[in-house]
Each structure stands twice: as structure tokens, then as C-alpha cells.
Amino acid sequence: MNEKLLAFDIWGEYGYFRRGYTATSTVSYPFPSRTTIAGLVSSILGLERDSYHDIFSKENSKIGVNILNPIKKSRFNLNYINTKFGFFLCDINPKQGLRTQVQAEFLKDPKFRIYVSLNDSNLMGSLLELISNHKSVYTPYFGISECLTDFKLVEDGFLDVEKKIGENVDIDSVILKNESNIIIESNKKYGSIKSPGFMNSERVVNEYLEYYFEERGNSIKIDKGEYYRIGDDNVILF
């Protein structure tokens, strides 16, 4: 892993990370997938669409995500064109272009801490400069362009990273399901999810990742395992 690592908080009023199990799915993931985070970082850097998948490959990057706000959900109706009668809005044919409404699940007040390490030192330097100055080349958003985000660097520069192995450790980030056994504690609300992890330049998912997470943003205790100490946080990077 590159010794340079950045952490930044990113938040918005709403988020919509649609689960791609089917073409018509309107259920949101509880937090952005690894591929979505790669897209967010790439939008800040100004990388062209589908040009960055090698940069965020398993060999060239490490990413972590910490849920900062409790996961809350709201439902809204989205207007789509009814493609049974055509793909364009049309006043001539009363049937063509009729709208259809689909109820979609949005996250309310989502906020996450994103940890990013890339092997490309030049990109890491650019990312630090942009986020430090609260700038981005393209506008980052949570899933769809209507869900705009704000962001802020956690500290002034690159963070110290210490790789550790421990027992009964409280982890602040989401946890890879196949690498750690969690210790169930009272008054915590746990969940598990599978989402896209790595994608090629043709937007085909090569690998899915499974996670444990705590829905209120609390830490999760693991019996033993490998983790990274980043600033004041214990983080699983993937």
C-alpha cells in the first residue's frame, strides 16, 4: 500500500446508491460501494468516465468507509418516461412519452468518512490539493446528480498509517465479512450487504465484496484480525 493516505468527510441531504441486481431496482445500498467511491474520487480529480478502473484496482489502491450519520431512509416517486410507447416526450402522439412513476428508496442525511490510498503519487498529490481547497473538477454526488454532496478534508495533509493485528478491537469502519468475526454487542444494530467491489473498463463487475456494518454509525468489535490505525480511527481497508 502507498504510504500516503487521505481521509475526507463527505455528506449530502440525500443519497441514492441504487442496487443493480435488476434494471428496475429502486432500493439503495446503505453506504456507497467501492466502485461508487472510486467514481466519487475520480470526479473530484477530473478523471474521464471509465478511464480510472485500473487506478482503483486491488493492486493499485486501498479504500475504507466509515458511516458517520445513522442510516435513515426516505421514499420518493421518480418520474420516468414510459418506454412502452417510445423514448422521447411527444405532444403529437398522446401515448408516446407518457411518464411513469416509480417509488425509490433514498438515504436521508448520509455522511461518510472516506479513506483513500492510491499507488499513483501524482494523483494523491492532486487529490490532497483539491480537497484541501474545497475544489473538484467535476461535481461529486451521491448516486445521482440530484443528490449533490459537500466534502472536507479530515486533517491538513496525509495521515500516518500503522498496520496492526489485534484482538477484541473496536473498528470504526465497515468490515469485510470474510476477513473478520464480529462480536455482537447489545444496543447495536448490525447489517450485512454485498456490493460491487471492482469493475473493468467495460463496466463489468469483476468482484463483489461483502461487509458487516453498524447502522447507527457505531464501532464494531472484532475478535481478532488485521486492521489499520489511521489517526484516531481503526479502519479495515479493502
Side-chain angles (χ1 to χ4, degrees):
M1 187 187 83
N2 189 338
E3 294 181 356
K4 294 181 178 179
L5 184 141
L6 285 176
F8 63 94
D9 293 344
I10 187 165
W11 64 93
E13 190 173 357
Y14 291 99
Y16 181 45
F17 307 117
R18 186 177 69 83
R19 302 192 193 188
Y21 303 145
T22 69
T24 58
S25 173
T26 56
V27 179
S28 177
Y29 287 114
F31 54 88
S33 67
R34 194 186 195 279
T35 53
T36 299
I37 294 171
L40 278 169
V41 174
S42 297
S43 68
I44 294 173
L45 287 168
L47 302 180
E48 295 297 326
R49 179 182 173 90
D50 296 331
S51 68
Y52 53 83
H53 299 295
D54 286 342
I55 296 170
F56 289 90
S57 68
K58 188 180 301 185
E59 298 78 19
N60 294 328
S61 65
K62 288 288 186 183
I63 285 175
V65 55
N66 183 358
I67 299 170
L68 297 182
N69 280 353
I71 295 170
K72 298 181 292 184
K73 298 177 180 179
S74 299
R75 290 188 174 272
F76 297 98
N77 289 328
L78 297 179
N79 288 321
Y80 292 106
I81 296 175
N82 189 337
T83 55
K84 291 181 180 179
F85 302 105
F87 293 89
F88 303 97
L89 294 176
C90 180
D91 295 329
I92 300 173
N93 185 339
K95 287 187 176 180
Q96 185 175 358
L98 288 177
R99 291 183 174 87
T100 182
Q101 285 194 337
V102 176
Q103 192 174 71
E105 178 184 86
F106 283 70
L107 302 183
K108 182 70 174 73
D109 298 321
K111 184 177 183 180
F112 309 99
R113 178 162 295 172
I114 306 297
Y115 309 88
V116 181
S117 178
L118 305 175
N119 285 351
D120 191 319
S121 297
N122 291 330
L123 286 179
M124 287 296 292
S126 298
L127 187 62
L128 173 60
E129 182 178 358
L130 285 164
I131 298 180
S132 296
N133 292 290
H134 197 251
K135 293 182 178 180
S136 65
V137 178
Y138 301 125
T139 303
Y141 51 82
F142 277 157
I144 58 175
S145 58
E146 290 79 6
C147 299
L148 300 179
T149 66
D150 200 355
F151 55 87
K152 182 180 180 181
L153 198 65
V154 171
E155 293 190 14
D156 291 337
F158 295 114
L159 299 176
D160 293 330
V161 181
E162 183 182 0
K163 189 174 183 179
K164 307 185 76 170
I165 297 176
E167 298 182 358
N168 297 324
V169 180
D170 289 319
I171 302 297
D172 299 295
S173 67
V174 303
I175 295 174
L176 284 178
K177 192 173 181 179
N178 61 348
E179 293 188 6
S180 303
N181 294 319
I182 67 174
I183 298 173
I184 302 299
E185 298 177 290
S186 60
N187 300 320
K188 291 188 177 182
K189 190 175 181 181
Y190 299 92
S192 65
I193 197 73
K194 177 191 284 187
S195 65
F198 301 93
M199 185 181 292
N200 63 25
S201 59
E202 288 156 3
R203 304 188 68 79
V204 176
V205 177
N206 296 326
E207 182 180 348
Y208 285 83
L209 299 176
E210 293 187 74
Y211 308 93
Y212 291 121
F213 63 96
E214 206 285 328
E215 293 191 10
R216 299 188 180 99
N218 296 316
S219 63
I220 301 177
K221 189 181 293 292
I222 60 173
D223 59 357
K224 60 181 178 180
E226 181 181 286
Y227 64 98
Y228 294 87
R229 183 69 176 173
I230 303 172
D232 295 328
D233 299 337
N234 294 329
V235 180
I236 301 290
L237 297 175
F238 42 85

